[in-house]
Amino acid sequence: MDFKTADLCDEYSKELLVCQQEFKSYGSRRKFSGPISTVRVFEDNVLVKEALESIPEGNVLVVDGGGSKRCALMGDRLGEIAHSRKLAGVIIYGCVRDTLELGGLETGIIALGSNPLKSKKEGKGDRDIPVTFGGIDWKPGDFVYADEDGVIVASRSLL
């Protein structure tokens, strides 16, 4: 998996969407890519856990948390699930917690920020649907590429 988002933008700019949202990196893998799986939740991480436990190895879970910074949608336990299942990464339009432990996982994890408060556990939300944030419609099955320069999405694998 040797790529740079800048190089992919140079070569495939007409095929790409560039995420306008800046993220902070929390996992030890700073560069990751893979097919997109999606979850849309708000301050409730039950469906996030279910998705982490069931999406295919190598996928990237894109979590539309509505941009809320009032609680965390992922912590060390969910991060360990992503790591043990060999997911390529997790992109959270929301917050994480247990950042020291997440930093020790060989998984790509990016989010808006951190918050020590855990989320609700009501199971509300949607899975495997298009979600929208950062100027991008994130569609299940599309491909995402993330590194230190940013996050881009294509309708097909570019690698």
Side-chain angles (χ1 to χ4, degrees):
M1 175 184 49
D2 191 28
F3 70 90
K4 288 175 47 179
T5 57
D7 291 344
L8 292 175
C9 283
D10 290 350
E11 190 169 346
Y12 300 103
S13 63
K14 290 180 168 62
E15 294 184 53
L16 296 175
L17 299 171
V18 178
C19 185
Q20 303 303 306
Q21 178 64 56
E22 285 191 51
F23 292 96
K24 296 178 184 176
S25 182
Y26 293 97
S28 69
R29 185 181 295 161
R30 302 278 189 230
K31 178 188 297 190
F32 60 93
S33 67
I36 294 172
S37 294
T38 63
V39 172
R40 181 173 55 210
V41 297
F42 189 74
E43 299 177 3
D44 180 338
N45 74 349
V46 171
L47 294 182
V48 176
K49 182 179 182 206
E50 288 178 8
L52 290 170
E53 292 173 334
S54 62
I55 68 173
E57 178 179 318
N59 273 32
V60 175
L61 181 61
V62 174
V63 179
D64 179 357
S68 174
K69 294 185 175 183
R70 296 190 297 200
C71 66
L73 294 174
M74 180 180 195
D76 58 347
R77 291 180 182 164
L78 297 190
E80 185 55 46
I81 293 169
H83 172 74
S84 68
R85 295 209 53 252
K86 297 178 175 59
L87 302 184
V90 182
I91 298 172
I92 301 178
Y93 187 52
C95 289
V96 296
R97 67 184 202 163
D98 303 316
T99 59
L100 183 63
E101 291 83 357
L102 293 179
L105 299 175
E106 182 59 35
T107 302
I109 301 169
I110 60 176
L112 297 180
S114 63
N115 185 319
L117 183 65
K118 69 180 178 180
S119 72
K120 296 179 270 188
K121 309 285 189 247
E122 297 173 352
K124 295 179 181 175
D126 298 291
R127 281 186 60 181
D128 304 317
I129 59 161
V131 297
T132 302
F133 61 86
I136 291 183
D137 292 326
W138 306 79
K139 298 174 188 154
D142 282 359
F143 285 77
V144 62
Y145 304 86
D147 67 9
E148 298 85 352
D149 287 331
V151 179
I152 58 176
V153 173
S155 63
R156 65 181 181 95
S157 175
L158 302 176
L159 302 179

